[in-house]
Structures are given as C-alpha cells and as structure tokens.
Amino acid sequence: MLDFWFFFESILLGIGLAMDAFSVSLANGLNEPCMSNKKALGISGMFAFFQALMPLIGWILVHTIVQKFKALEAFIPWIALALLGYIGGKMLYDGIKGKDEEAECKPLALSLLIAQGIATSIDALSVGFTIAEYTFIPALICALIIATVTIGICFVGVKIGVHVGKKFSHKASILGGAILIFIGLEIFISSFF
C-alpha cells in the first residue's frame, strides 16, 4: 500500500491543505516583521501539527463515530469564519488604529497561533474520509507527510511576510488582517459549492 502513488497523493494532500496555512503564515510575517527564524519555524510547526492532527482525528471518527461527525461537519465553515474573522478584524483594527505610530514588532501570542492553527486546519477533518481505507500506520504516515509539506510551505510564507512587512511597516498589519478575513470567507463560501 505504501507505493509511489501513496506518497504522491499524500504530498498533494499536504500542498492542498497547506494553502490556507500559508496565507495565514504570510499574514503573521507581515504582522511581526522582526520575527526570528526560530519563531518562524515554531509558527510553521504549529500549523503542521494541526494539519497532521485533523486528518487523523477525521480518520478516527470515520472508524468510530461517523454519524456524529457528519452532524458536526456543517459547523466547520462557521467555526473557521468566526476564528479567522475575529483574528483578521483585530489585526485590521490594530493596523488602522496605529497608522500614525512608528512600526513596532508585536509578537504573536501562543493562544492566537493555536486559534489560527485550528481555524486553518479544521476543514482537514474531512480528509479523514479520504484516507478512511488506510490502516492506522499508513494514515499516520500520510499525516506526517502532510505535516512535513505544511511546515516547509508555511516557513516560506512567514519569511515572505517578514520581508514584505519590513518594507511596509504598519500597512502590513492591515494587509495581514484582510488576508485572514478573506481566507475565512473563502473557507465559508467554498463549503457551500
């Protein structure tokens, strides 16, 4: 079962799932332009953790309580919209409010990163249905591949955001907030089509 196609499909899943996390990573870099490489890697790791965890939770739900998960599936876009809308709105507000101030480096709180990780990966629960035919070990390997792809993509996103954030100071927070709100809306709207 662990052939070329298994790894290829797992990498593609990782790329697809990491796109929202990439955009949020970009916004985080814009918001904190003095971020160190260590923190950028930590943020990327947080997103990778949730991107790997959610498909595994979905896989477990498929193998245990599928019907209960189906009922909760309708709330996933609402949760993502609420979390990203709130976080993005706060970044927008802070960016607009501080437009006359000198650019400062506001570190991202751990609770904010956890909320972002959940919001950007909650739709990955449904990937548990995609990998439902796997036994546990292949499902775990698939999740680890998704995490590896996500950490690389998100690190690049953070570093691009940091680079752009240094050039545009407080305007970067406004852009970052708008990106988060857009991602929340995209997840919400795409769930209906």
Side-chain angles (χ1 to χ4, degrees), residues 79-99:
I79 294 168
L81 178 64
L83 287 171
L84 291 173
Y86 172 75
I87 296 165
K90 184 168 178 354
M91 284 175 68
L92 264 173
Y93 175 77
D94 290 345
I96 292 168
K97 184 180 90 172
K99 63 184 174 186

Side-chain angles (χ1 to χ4, degrees), residues 108-176:
L108 297 162
L110 180 61
S111 59
L112 179 68
L113 292 174
I114 290 171
Q116 289 176 346
I118 292 169
T120 59
S121 66
I122 198 162
D123 59 336
L125 277 169
S126 59
V127 171
F129 292 126
T130 309
I131 62 173
E133 76 276 0
Y134 296 167
T135 59
F136 179 72
I137 296 300
L140 179 62
I141 292 170
C142 179
L144 292 173
I145 292 170
I146 290 169
T148 303
V149 170
T150 300
I151 203 166
I153 288 173
C154 289
F155 186 78
V156 169
V158 171
K159 295 312 285 180
I160 291 171
V162 165
H163 180 70
V164 172
K166 285 179 182 172
K167 293 185 188 283
F168 296 104
S169 66
H170 66 273
K171 291 180 180 84
S173 181
I174 296 170
L175 178 61

Side-chain angles (χ1 to χ4, degrees), residues 1 16 24 28 36 40 42 51 65 67 77 84 108 113 134 167 170:
M1 179 178 247
V24 175
N28 286 339
S36 68
Q51 291 291 1
I65 51 173
Q67 296 310 318
L84 291 173
L108 297 162
L113 292 174
Y134 296 167
K167 293 185 188 283
H170 66 273

Side-chain angles (χ1 to χ4, degrees), residues 21 25 52 59 71 122 176 180:
S25 297
W59 182 88
I122 198 162
L180 292 183

Side-chain angles (χ1 to χ4, degrees), residues 23-50:
S23 299
V24 175
S25 297
L26 182 71
N28 286 339
L30 287 168
N31 192 53
E32 191 177 329
C34 59
M35 187 183 302
S36 68
N37 283 337
K38 183 179 177 183
K39 184 161 186 184
L41 192 57
I43 289 171
S44 304
M46 179 72 73
F47 286 118
F49 171 75
F50 282 107

